[in-house]
Amino acid sequence: MKQKNKAFDQVDLNASKGSIWFNHLNRVRENGPSLVEDNHIEDTSFTTRAIHAGQYDDPVTGALGTPIYQASTFYLNDETYEAIEEGRGRDALIYTRYGNPSQWAVQNKLASLENAESSIVFSSGMAAISTTLLALLDKGSHVVSSRDLYGGTYNFLYEDLQKYGMEVSYADPTNIEEIEACIQENTKMLYFESLTNPLLKLVPLHDLAYLAKKYNLRLVIDNTFLTPYNLRPLDHGADIVINSATKYLGGHSDLIAGTVSGSRKLMDRVWGQMLKLGGSLDPHACFLLERSLKTLGLRMKAHNSNAMELANHLEDHPQIKRVYYPGLASYPYPEVVREVLHTGYSGMISFEVEGGDQATLDFVKALRLPKEATSLGGLESLVSIPFNTSQASLTREQRRSIGIQDGLVRLSVGVEEIEDLIKDINQALEKIKVQEPCLTI
Ligand SMILES: *Cc1c(COP(=O)(O)O)cnc(C)c1O
């Protein structure tokens, strides 16, 4: 691994990738599309940019904040006709599936947080993922990915890409040799989640970027569990970063959205695909997402620290067999995979409760604060059990074969006071404790 990373350092990540045709184009690529110049935020920190980047204050009334442009269409004028004629439709306001000021504002904020030239917001994480895959792959393309994937993504790769004459190979996402061995002549893409569900495996991002460079592949990373606050995959050689904004980016369990970020060149291709599939984000949801992004750094700081504290507490608890959390010293993967994280390990923890699946069901019922619900990344703690939710379609043997042991619980640690969460978890564990038989003399 170490050696691979040395080789990686010598690779020029800024050298342009992709087809020869693109390499010989001298067209100047613009960021955006955008309505405002983001002045005064260059070289500022994450939360400062989260607050200020992209915001389009109402030019008519001077009202602070981006208005909700709840319009499906826009007046056509000489400028828009010219933009359409010259193939610059993405930079003109024509029709809301193509673009809308509410979308542009939140996209620019996000691009600033991802260190991307350009971002696109979608009507869900799955719209973002399916559109990106169809935009970047052709008939006959091969993808290397992993079974440690969000269920919807796995189903799309497994069921739908085949229909379009594409192939997918699945490797252990932590084993770079196995991933490299899957690469074949027609491989076009490496598709991985930076932190997987539910076992919270961090993928070796630098090694993946090295492979992508070596074999001229696109590296696409779903960074939903970490968010740009903890990891910016584009800074480490990924070509595209995707988020289900339904989770941490939205952060309040009240909206469905997805995001894709990368170079303007790639985003223009994704945009063209989005026009055909139609998964653009409604202006009102753009408003909610923009509002949420302003506090992303503040929220993630609290999620990170709560989860770290809780992971330590659970690891010392006699009724907990094992805790999965990348911040623990017991985390089984090499130190190098953690080096890309700036600020923390996110708010997702998995752990095995003594007593197997029945004890786990009783434990979850006994919790008062964490809500029993699927999804993650909201202010409130959410708890779910992989065996009857995300991995319910697998048999017990299949679950064990991918490392999901009986009694596994997945907890999205919210931003409640950590003392309250610990107290609640302790009382729930106390309730399910197997009573020692009474000694009668
Ligand atoms: C939830 C999720 C998705 C799908 O996002 P939706 O917004 O529900 O469509 C994709 N990837 C990961 C890692 C997720 O957790």
Side-chain angles (χ1 to χ4, degrees):
M1 289 273 193
K2 276 268 176 244
Q3 257 176 350
K4 284 246 165 64
N5 277 314
K6 273 207 196 95
F8 171 83
D9 287 336
Q10 285 149 17
V11 176
D12 178 9
L13 284 174
N14 293 321
S16 141
K17 284 216 248 184
S19 71
I20 290 160
W21 183 77
F22 272 123
N23 289 346
H24 286 82
L25 264 185
N26 269 335
R27 210 190 311 167
V28 179
R29 293 279 170 186
E30 301 263 325
N31 292 352
S34 174
L35 284 165
V36 276
E37 292 287 317
D38 279 326
N39 289 331
H40 318 302
I41 57 160
E42 300 270 310
D43 302 322
T44 58
S45 63
F46 188 91
T47 289
T48 307
R49 280 180 287 130
I51 294 164
H52 295 286
Q55 179 161 309
Y56 181 59
D57 299 320
D58 180 18
V60 176
T61 62
L64 206 77
T66 312
I68 304 170
Y69 287 89
Q70 199 72 49
S72 61
T73 195
F74 300 82
Y75 283 108
L76 294 166
N77 56 32
D78 289 349
E79 238 173 83
T80 40
Y81 285 127
E82 197 181 294
I84 295 168
E85 193 150 308
E86 293 175 359
R88 294 184 287 105
R90 198 178 163 213
D91 290 297
L93 292 165
I94 301 164
Y95 182 65
T96 286
R97 176 158 42 78
Y98 290 51
N100 174 296
S102 295
Q103 291 167 359
W104 288 5
V106 66
Q107 286 173 175
N108 288 329
K109 189 182 290 298
L110 184 78
S112 173
L113 299 182
E114 295 278 20
N115 275 344
E117 285 176 9
S118 184
S119 296
I120 303 177
V121 289
F122 286 85
S123 54
S124 70
M126 282 314 301
I129 291 164
S130 53
T131 305
T132 302
L133 288 168
L134 292 179
L136 301 185
L137 297 170
D138 296 309
K139 190 175 173 186
S141 296
H142 173 254
V143 180
V144 181
S145 188
S146 142
R147 287 202 169 75
D148 292 83
L149 281 183
Y150 179 72
T153 309
Y154 179 74
N155 291 342
F156 186 74
L157 290 178
Y158 188 73
E159 294 167 5
D160 293 68
L161 287 192
Q162 282 195 26
K163 279 196 264 187
Y164 299 110
M166 302 171 195
E167 291 177 286
V168 187
S169 300
Y170 302 92
D172 173 349
T174 64
N175 184 337
I176 201 71
E177 283 79 21
E178 198 181 314
I179 293 167
E180 184 166 16
C182 289
I183 294 171
Q184 50 192 54
E185 195 84 3
N186 57 341
T187 305
K188 293 281 185 282
M189 181 187 288
L190 303 176
Y191 186 101
F192 289 92
E193 292 175 6
S194 51
L195 183 62
T196 69
N197 174 44
L199 296 177
L200 303 168
K201 301 174 186 171
L202 276 169
V203 300
L205 187 54
H206 276 177
D207 293 331
L208 288 173
Y210 168 77
L211 286 187
K213 195 76 201 163
K214 181 170 167 189
Y215 295 98
N216 197 24
L217 314 172
R218 302 239 188 263
L219 176 58
V220 180
I221 296 290
D222 178 337
N223 197 40
T224 299
F225 274 36
L226 285 170
T227 83
Y229 182 70
N230 288 325
L231 173 67
R232 288 180 283 282
L234 300 176
D235 289 351
H236 299 280
D239 296 286
I240 289 206
V241 58
I242 298 180
N243 277 280
S244 166
T246 311
K247 317 296 167 52
Y248 286 110
L249 303 194
H252 298 69
S253 307
D254 59 3
L255 97 112
I256 298 271
T259 70
V260 182
S261 306
S263 67
R264 176 76 203 236
K265 178 177 85 183
L266 286 179
M267 287 306 102
D268 283 355
R269 278 174 67 176
V270 172
W271 179 76
Q273 190 70 47
M274 185 193 68
L275 299 188
K276 290 178 273 185
L277 296 177
S280 56
L281 191 63
D282 176 80
H284 187 262
C286 291
F287 160 75
L288 288 175
L289 183 55
E290 192 193 343
R291 196 178 197 270
S292 292
L293 284 177
K294 293 182 189 182
T295 56
L296 180 65
L298 304 177
R299 289 184 285 110
M300 289 316 295
K301 204 183 274 186
H303 285 295
N304 287 345
S305 88
N306 270 5
M308 188 70 243
E309 203 163 322
L310 192 58
N312 280 321
H313 175 76
L314 290 170
E315 201 165 51
D316 292 339
H317 199 289
Q319 278 168 273
I320 302 296
K321 274 204 280 201
R322 182 163 175 196
V323 183
Y324 299 83
Y325 187 66
L328 291 172
S330 59
Y331 193 64
Y333 304 107
E335 188 52 38
V336 55
V337 301
R338 290 198 272 203
E339 284 169 6
V340 292
L341 301 178
H342 320 276
T343 36
Y345 308 95
S346 179
M348 299 303 297
I349 298 184
S350 291
F351 52 95
E352 289 157 17
V353 178
E354 285 289 356
D357 286 339
Q358 188 53 50
T360 304
L361 287 169
D362 296 341
F363 166 72
V364 166
K365 290 275 171 282
L367 288 169
R368 292 170 187 152
L369 283 178
K371 309 287 180 214
E372 192 176 345
T374 188
S375 197
L376 59 112
L379 296 168
E380 60 288 286
S381 295
L382 296 182
V383 66
S384 63
I385 311 174
F387 99 82
N388 65 8
T389 53
S390 51
Q391 271 77 22
S393 61
L394 305 182
T395 64
R396 172 175 288 183
E397 294 320 309
Q398 284 172 326
R399 281 196 300 272
R400 284 183 180 160
S401 76
I402 58 168
I404 299 175
Q405 303 299 335
D406 298 351
L408 190 76
V409 180
R410 186 186 88 171
L411 184 64
S412 168
V413 183
V415 302
E416 298 94 344
E417 282 298 332
I418 187 62
E419 290 77 18
D420 296 332
L421 280 175
I422 288 177
K423 216 158 88 187
D424 188 37
I425 285 171
N426 284 349
Q427 69 78 27
L429 286 169
E430 187 61 35
K431 249 186 213 153
I432 64 157
K433 212 181 221 171
V434 184
Q435 298 298 322
E436 295 289 333
C438 285
L439 280 182
T440 43
I441 306 166

mmCIF file with all atom_site columns, all heavy atoms in Angstrom, residues 146-158:
data_model
loop_
_atom_site.group_PDB
_atom_site.id
_atom_site.type_symbol
_atom_site.label_atom_id
_atom_site.label_alt_id
_atom_site.label_comp_id
_atom_site.label_asym_id
_atom_site.label_entity_id
_atom_site.label_seq_id
_atom_site.pdbx_PDB_ins_code
_atom_site.Cartn_x
_atom_site.Cartn_y
_atom_site.Cartn_z
_atom_site.occupancy
_atom_site.B_iso_or_equiv
_atom_site.pdbx_formal_charge
_atom_site.auth_seq_id
_atom_site.auth_comp_id
_atom_site.auth_asym_id
_atom_site.auth_atom_id
_atom_site.pdbx_PDB_model_num
ATOM 1   N N   . SER A 1 146 ? -18.346 -2.488  -6.058  1.00 0.00 ? 146 SER A N   1
ATOM 2   C CA  . SER A 1 146 ? -18.280 -3.336  -4.873  1.00 0.00 ? 146 SER A CA  1
ATOM 3   C C   . SER A 1 146 ? -19.683 -3.711  -4.451  1.00 0.00 ? 146 SER A C   1
ATOM 4   O O   . SER A 1 146 ? -20.650 -3.019  -4.799  1.00 0.00 ? 146 SER A O   1
ATOM 5   C CB  . SER A 1 146 ? -17.582 -2.524  -3.778  1.00 0.00 ? 146 SER A CB  1
ATOM 6   O OG  . SER A 1 146 ? -18.163 -2.762  -2.535  1.00 0.00 ? 146 SER A OG  1
ATOM 7   N N   . ARG A 1 147 ? -19.823 -4.804  -3.674  1.00 0.00 ? 147 ARG A N   1
ATOM 8   C CA  . ARG A 1 147 ? -21.147 -5.143  -3.142  1.00 0.00 ? 147 ARG A CA  1
ATOM 9   C C   . ARG A 1 147 ? -21.475 -4.279  -1.926  1.00 0.00 ? 147 ARG A C   1
ATOM 10  O O   . ARG A 1 147 ? -22.613 -4.226  -1.500  1.00 0.00 ? 147 ARG A O   1
ATOM 11  C CB  . ARG A 1 147 ? -21.226 -6.617  -2.788  1.00 0.00 ? 147 ARG A CB  1
ATOM 12  C CG  . ARG A 1 147 ? -21.291 -7.487  -4.024  1.00 0.00 ? 147 ARG A CG  1
ATOM 13  C CD  . ARG A 1 147 ? -21.882 -8.853  -3.763  1.00 0.00 ? 147 ARG A CD  1
ATOM 14  N NE  . ARG A 1 147 ? -22.139 -9.517  -5.033  1.00 0.00 ? 147 ARG A NE  1
ATOM 15  C CZ  . ARG A 1 147 ? -21.198 -10.054 -5.800  1.00 0.00 ? 147 ARG A CZ  1
ATOM 16  N NH1 . ARG A 1 147 ? -19.945 -10.023 -5.427  1.00 0.00 ? 147 ARG A NH1 1
ATOM 17  N NH2 . ARG A 1 147 ? -21.502 -10.615 -6.954  1.00 0.00 ? 147 ARG A NH2 1
ATOM 18  N N   . ASP A 1 148 ? -20.461 -3.622  -1.365  1.00 0.00 ? 148 ASP A N   1
ATOM 19  C CA  . ASP A 1 148 ? -20.715 -2.705  -0.247  1.00 0.00 ? 148 ASP A CA  1
ATOM 20  C C   . ASP A 1 148 ? -21.193 -1.387  -0.834  1.00 0.00 ? 148 ASP A C   1
ATOM 21  O O   . ASP A 1 148 ? -20.453 -0.423  -0.921  1.00 0.00 ? 148 ASP A O   1
ATOM 22  C CB  . ASP A 1 148 ? -19.436 -2.465  0.554   1.00 0.00 ? 148 ASP A CB  1
ATOM 23  C CG  . ASP A 1 148 ? -18.980 -3.698  1.290   1.00 0.00 ? 148 ASP A CG  1
ATOM 24  O OD1 . ASP A 1 148 ? -18.299 -4.543  0.661   1.00 0.00 ? 148 ASP A OD1 1
ATOM 25  O OD2 . ASP A 1 148 ? -19.291 -3.834  2.469   1.00 0.00 ? 148 ASP A OD2 1
ATOM 26  N N   . LEU A 1 149 ? -22.452 -1.387  -1.256  1.00 0.00 ? 149 LEU A N   1
ATOM 27  C CA  . LEU A 1 149 ? -23.026 -0.206  -1.910  1.00 0.00 ? 149 LEU A CA  1
ATOM 28  C C   . LEU A 1 149 ? -24.416 0.018   -1.369  1.00 0.00 ? 149 LEU A C   1
ATOM 29  O O   . LEU A 1 149 ? -25.074 -0.932  -0.921  1.00 0.00 ? 149 LEU A O   1
ATOM 30  C CB  . LEU A 1 149 ? -23.187 -0.452  -3.408  1.00 0.00 ? 149 LEU A CB  1
ATOM 31  C CG  . LEU A 1 149 ? -21.996 -0.335  -4.349  1.00 0.00 ? 149 LEU A CG  1
ATOM 32  C CD1 . LEU A 1 149 ? -22.491 -0.551  -5.773  1.00 0.00 ? 149 LEU A CD1 1
ATOM 33  C CD2 . LEU A 1 149 ? -21.296 1.006   -4.250  1.00 0.00 ? 149 LEU A CD2 1
ATOM 34  N N   . TYR A 1 150 ? -24.881 1.254   -1.471  1.00 0.00 ? 150 TYR A N   1
ATOM 35  C CA  . TYR A 1 150 ? -26.283 1.560   -1.209  1.00 0.00 ? 150 TYR A CA  1
ATOM 36  C C   . TYR A 1 150 ? -27.150 0.635   -2.083  1.00 0.00 ? 150 TYR A C   1
ATOM 37  O O   . TYR A 1 150 ? -26.847 0.439   -3.268  1.00 0.00 ? 150 TYR A O   1
ATOM 38  C CB  . TYR A 1 150 ? -26.544 3.025   -1.544  1.00 0.00 ? 150 TYR A CB  1
ATOM 39  C CG  . TYR A 1 150 ? -27.972 3.409   -1.329  1.00 0.00 ? 150 TYR A CG  1
ATOM 40  C CD1 . TYR A 1 150 ? -28.480 3.524   -0.047  1.00 0.00 ? 150 TYR A CD1 1
ATOM 41  C CD2 . TYR A 1 150 ? -28.827 3.625   -2.399  1.00 0.00 ? 150 TYR A CD2 1
ATOM 42  C CE1 . TYR A 1 150 ? -29.808 3.849   0.162   1.00 0.00 ? 150 TYR A CE1 1
ATOM 43  C CE2 . TYR A 1 150 ? -30.152 3.950   -2.204  1.00 0.00 ? 150 TYR A CE2 1
ATOM 44  C CZ  . TYR A 1 150 ? -30.635 4.061   -0.917  1.00 0.00 ? 150 TYR A CZ  1
ATOM 45  O OH  . TYR A 1 150 ? -31.947 4.384   -0.714  1.00 0.00 ? 150 TYR A OH  1
ATOM 46  N N   . GLY A 1 151 ? -28.213 0.070   -1.506  1.00 0.00 ? 151 GLY A N   1
ATOM 47  C CA  . GLY A 1 151 ? -29.032 -0.926  -2.208  1.00 0.00 ? 151 GLY A CA  1
ATOM 48  C C   . GLY A 1 151 ? -29.539 -0.453  -3.566  1.00 0.00 ? 151 GLY A C   1
ATOM 49  O O   . GLY A 1 151 ? -29.491 -1.199  -4.546  1.00 0.00 ? 151 GLY A O   1
ATOM 50  N N   . GLY A 1 152 ? -30.005 0.773   -3.637  1.00 0.00 ? 152 GLY A N   1
ATOM 51  C CA  . GLY A 1 152 ? -30.530 1.294   -4.904  1.00 0.00 ? 152 GLY A CA  1
ATOM 52  C C   . GLY A 1 152 ? -29.448 1.353   -5.971  1.00 0.00 ? 152 GLY A C   1
ATOM 53  O O   . GLY A 1 152 ? -29.692 1.051   -7.147  1.00 0.00 ? 152 GLY A O   1
ATOM 54  N N   . THR A 1 153 ? -28.256 1.726   -5.561  1.00 0.00 ? 153 THR A N   1
ATOM 55  C CA  . THR A 1 153 ? -27.139 1.810   -6.506  1.00 0.00 ? 153 THR A CA  1
ATOM 56  C C   . THR A 1 153 ? -26.765 0.411   -6.982  1.00 0.00 ? 153 THR A C   1
ATOM 57  O O   . THR A 1 153 ? -26.559 0.173   -8.174  1.00 0.00 ? 153 THR A O   1
ATOM 58  C CB  . THR A 1 153 ? -25.908 2.457   -5.828  1.00 0.00 ? 153 THR A CB  1
ATOM 59  O OG1 . THR A 1 153 ? -26.324 3.660   -5.217  1.00 0.00 ? 153 THR A OG1 1
ATOM 60  C CG2 . THR A 1 153 ? -24.813 2.733   -6.838  1.00 0.00 ? 153 THR A CG2 1
ATOM 61  N N   . TYR A 1 154 ? -26.699 -0.515  -6.025  1.00 0.00 ? 154 TYR A N   1
ATOM 62  C CA  . TYR A 1 154 ? -26.355 -1.893  -6.380  1.00 0.00 ? 154 TYR A CA  1
ATOM 63  C C   . TYR A 1 154 ? -27.379 -2.442  -7.377  1.00 0.00 ? 154 TYR A C   1
ATOM 64  O O   . TYR A 1 154 ? -27.011 -3.029  -8.400  1.00 0.00 ? 154 TYR A O   1
ATOM 65  C CB  . TYR A 1 154 ? -26.294 -2.763  -5.120  1.00 0.00 ? 154 TYR A CB  1
ATOM 66  C CG  . TYR A 1 154 ? -25.968 -4.197  -5.431  1.00 0.00 ? 154 TYR A CG  1
ATOM 67  C CD1 . TYR A 1 154 ? -24.673 -4.562  -5.801  1.00 0.00 ? 154 TYR A CD1 1
ATOM 68  C CD2 . TYR A 1 154 ? -26.963 -5.173  -5.407  1.00 0.00 ? 154 TYR A CD2 1
ATOM 69  C CE1 . TYR A 1 154 ? -24.379 -5.884  -6.127  1.00 0.00 ? 154 TYR A CE1 1
ATOM 70  C CE2 . TYR A 1 154 ? -26.669 -6.491  -5.727  1.00 0.00 ? 154 TYR A CE2 1
ATOM 71  C CZ  . TYR A 1 154 ? -25.379 -6.834  -6.083  1.00 0.00 ? 154 TYR A CZ  1
ATOM 72  O OH  . TYR A 1 154 ? -25.093 -8.128  -6.418  1.00 0.00 ? 154 TYR A OH  1
ATOM 73  N N   . ASN A 1 155 ? -28.655 -2.211  -7.106  1.00 0.00 ? 155 ASN A N   1
ATOM 74  C CA  . ASN A 1 155 ? -29.693 -2.705  -8.010  1.00 0.00 ? 155 ASN A CA  1
ATOM 75  C C   . ASN A 1 155 ? -29.573 -2.085  -9.395  1.00 0.00 ? 155 ASN A C   1
ATOM 76  O O   . ASN A 1 155 ? -29.777 -2.746  -10.402 1.00 0.00 ? 155 ASN A O   1
ATOM 77  C CB  . ASN A 1 155 ? -31.088 -2.415  -7.437  1.00 0.00 ? 155 ASN A CB  1
ATOM 78  C CG  . ASN A 1 155 ? -31.365 -3.258  -6.211  1.00 0.00 ? 155 ASN A CG  1
ATOM 79  O OD1 . ASN A 1 155 ? -30.691 -4.264  -5.970  1.00 0.00 ? 155 ASN A OD1 1
ATOM 80  N ND2 . ASN A 1 155 ? -32.333 -2.836  -5.413  1.00 0.00 ? 155 ASN A ND2 1
ATOM 81  N N   . PHE A 1 156 ? -29.247 -0.802  -9.437  1.00 0.00 ? 156 PHE A N   1
ATOM 82  C CA  . PHE A 1 156 ? -29.104 -0.141  -10.744 1.00 0.00 ? 156 PHE A CA  1
ATOM 83  C C   . PHE A 1 156 ? -27.931 -0.739  -11.521 1.00 0.00 ? 156 PHE A C   1
ATOM 84  O O   . PHE A 1 156 ? -28.048 -1.041  -12.715 1.00 0.00 ? 156 PHE A O   1
ATOM 85  C CB  . PHE A 1 156 ? -28.919 1.371   -10.569 1.00 0.00 ? 156 PHE A CB  1
ATOM 86  C CG  . PHE A 1 156 ? -28.918 2.112   -11.876 1.00 0.00 ? 156 PHE A CG  1
ATOM 87  C CD1 . PHE A 1 156 ? -30.096 2.306   -12.576 1.00 0.00 ? 156 PHE A CD1 1
ATOM 88  C CD2 . PHE A 1 156 ? -27.730 2.586   -12.418 1.00 0.00 ? 156 PHE A CD2 1
ATOM 89  C CE1 . PHE A 1 156 ? -30.099 2.972   -13.804 1.00 0.00 ? 156 PHE A CE1 1
ATOM 90  C CE2 . PHE A 1 156 ? -27.729 3.245   -13.643 1.00 0.00 ? 156 PHE A CE2 1
ATOM 91  C CZ  . PHE A 1 156 ? -28.922 3.439   -14.332 1.00 0.00 ? 156 PHE A CZ  1
ATOM 92  N N   . LEU A 1 157 ? -26.812 -0.947  -10.828 1.00 0.00 ? 157 LEU A N   1
ATOM 93  C CA  . LEU A 1 157 ? -25.652 -1.550  -11.495 1.00 0.00 ? 157 LEU A CA  1
ATOM 94  C C   . LEU A 1 157 ? -25.990 -2.961  -11.946 1.00 0.00 ? 157 LEU A C   1
ATOM 95  O O   . LEU A 1 157 ? -25.711 -3.369  -13.070 1.00 0.00 ? 157 LEU A O   1
ATOM 96  C CB  . LEU A 1 157 ? -24.455 -1.606  -10.535 1.00 0.00 ? 157 LEU A CB  1
ATOM 97  C CG  . LEU A 1 157 ? -23.793 -0.292  -10.149 1.00 0.00 ? 157 LEU A CG  1
ATOM 98  C CD1 . LEU A 1 157 ? -22.666 -0.547  -9.149  1.00 0.00 ? 157 LEU A CD1 1
ATOM 99  C CD2 . LEU A 1 157 ? -23.233 0.436   -11.360 1.00 0.00 ? 157 LEU A CD2 1
ATOM 100 N N   . TYR A 1 158 ? -26.609 -3.724  -11.043 1.00 0.00 ? 158 TYR A N   1
ATOM 101 C CA  . TYR A 1 158 ? -26.802 -5.148  -11.269 1.00 0.00 ? 158 TYR A CA  1
ATOM 102 C C   . TYR A 1 158 ? -27.907 -5.424  -12.283 1.00 0.00 ? 158 TYR A C   1
ATOM 103 O O   . TYR A 1 158 ? -27.776 -6.273  -13.153 1.00 0.00 ? 158 TYR A O   1
ATOM 104 C CB  . TYR A 1 158 ? -27.119 -5.817  -9.922  1.00 0.00 ? 158 TYR A CB  1
ATOM 105 C CG  . TYR A 1 158 ? -27.149 -7.307  -9.983  1.00 0.00 ? 158 TYR A CG  1
ATOM 106 C CD1 . TYR A 1 158 ? -25.965 -8.034  -10.109 1.00 0.00 ? 158 TYR A CD1 1
ATOM 107 C CD2 . TYR A 1 158 ? -28.356 -8.001  -9.920  1.00 0.00 ? 158 TYR A CD2 1
ATOM 108 C CE1 . TYR A 1 158 ? -25.991 -9.416  -10.175 1.00 0.00 ? 158 TYR A CE1 1
ATOM 109 C CE2 . TYR A 1 158 ? -28.386 -9.379  -9.982  1.00 0.00 ? 158 TYR A CE2 1
ATOM 110 C CZ  . TYR A 1 158 ? -27.200 -10.085 -10.113 1.00 0.00 ? 158 TYR A CZ  1
ATOM 111 O OH  . TYR A 1 158 ? -27.225 -11.443 -10.185 1.00 0.00 ? 158 TYR A OH  1
#
